[in-house]
Amino acid sequence: MSGLRVRPHAPDADGAVLEVTPESAGWDHVGFKVVRLTDGQLHGGGVAGRECCLVVVAGTADIRVGEQRFEGVGGRATPFEDKAPGAVYVPAGMIWFVTARGPVELAVCTAPGKGLGAPRLIADADMSRETRGTGTNTRYVRNILPETQPAEGLLVVEVITPGGHWSSYPPHKHDTATPTEETALEETYYHRIDPPQGFAIQRVYTDDRSLDETVSVEDGDVVMVPRGYHPVGAPHGYDVYYLNVMAGPKRNWIFRNDPAHDWIVRKT
C-alpha cells in the first residue's frame, strides 16, 4: 500500500475519521483532519502556534471562535453542489467549537502561525470561482483561502474534475524555493468521488524518480504530496472533488510544470 495514501476510519468519539499531522506526514507545515458530525454534535480544537481554516465541506454548522459566533455556516448538501462551502479563519492559539445542524462534513486545515489577525467568516464573494484548462483538461476551482486573502501560512482551494478529465495537469510541482520561479509548499489532497463507489488515480513523482507512486484513490481518501509532480485523473462516469491544503516557508503559490509535458499548455 502507498505510504502517501491515508484512509478514513469509522468516526471516533469526537467525529474524527482521518487526520494528517506534521509528525505523521514527516514534514513541517500542513495539518489536516476530517470530522463527520451528527445533528447537535460538538467538535472543538485550537492550539498554540497553529492557525486554522475550518471548511464545512457539506452540511450546516454553528461555529464559535473565542467570543465570536458564526451561525449557520455552510449549507450545501454535498461538495459536488455548485455552491461555496462554509469557511471560518481561526488565528493561531484561539479555541474554536463547531456544532452541527444536521449531518456535517468538516475539514480542519492547519499550519504554523503566530496568532496574527482576527477570526472571520470567509464570505462566498471572497471565494473566487474559476474554470481552468480546456477539453478533457477542464476543471472547476474555488479559491477558499488564496494568497490574496489574509492568513499567515495556509492556502486552501477546492476543485471539481468531471469524469473523464484530468486535473492538476499538466503535472506540476512546488517543492523548491527558487525566487520568482517556484515556492516550496507541502500539500494534502482530500478526495471525494461521485458516485462514491468510484475511484480516481493520482501519481506523485519527482524528476529523478526517487519518489514515484501511482495511487488508486477511493472516496474519502487523502493523498499526501511532500514533493514532486502530482496529477489527478478522473475515470469516465465518476466526478472527483478534492480539497487542497498547502503551506510552506513562504505563503506564495508558484509552481513549475514537468518540462516533459509543458508543451500541452504551450501549444496553440
Side-chain angles (χ1 to χ4, degrees), residues 182-245:
E182 187 178 346
T183 47
L185 297 168
E186 303 159 355
E187 186 168 20
T188 53
Y189 274 69
Y190 171 55
H191 291 271
R192 294 294 313 281
I193 314 293
D194 184 32
Q197 71 270 25
F199 64 95
I201 297 296
Q202 183 157 25
R203 183 184 181 196
V204 182
Y205 68 98
T206 56
D207 286 308
D208 63 3
R209 303 304 193 267
S210 60
L211 173 61
D212 190 356
E213 293 193 22
T214 301
V215 183
S216 178
V217 180
E218 296 184 344
D219 187 47
D221 286 353
V222 162
V223 174
M224 301 182 294
V225 182
R227 63 190 187 280
Y229 307 101
H230 41 275
V232 175
H236 175 76
Y238 295 98
D239 293 342
V240 175
Y241 165 96
Y242 55 76
L243 177 68
N244 290 142
V245 181

Side-chain angles (χ1 to χ4, degrees), residues 66-148:
E67 298 303 315
Q68 291 188 245
R69 295 179 179 273
F70 306 97
E71 305 288 335
V73 178
R76 67 186 183 186
T78 81
F80 294 93
E81 187 176 347
D82 187 11
K83 181 179 179 181
V88 170
Y89 175 76
V90 182
M94 294 199 72
I95 302 300
W96 52 266
F97 296 96
V98 175
T99 303
R101 295 187 183 183
V104 163
E105 181 179 356
L106 173 72
V108 181
C109 318
T110 70
K114 298 178 180 179
L116 305 179
R120 71 181 190 279
L121 177 71
I122 302 175
D124 292 2
D126 291 330
M127 300 187 211
S128 60
R129 184 184 184 281
E130 58 184 288
T131 300
R132 292 183 189 161
T134 60
T136 55
N137 197 33
T138 302
R139 63 272 199 200
Y140 305 99
V141 179
R142 199 176 302 270
N143 297 296
I144 299 170
L145 188 59
E147 60 192 79
T148 54

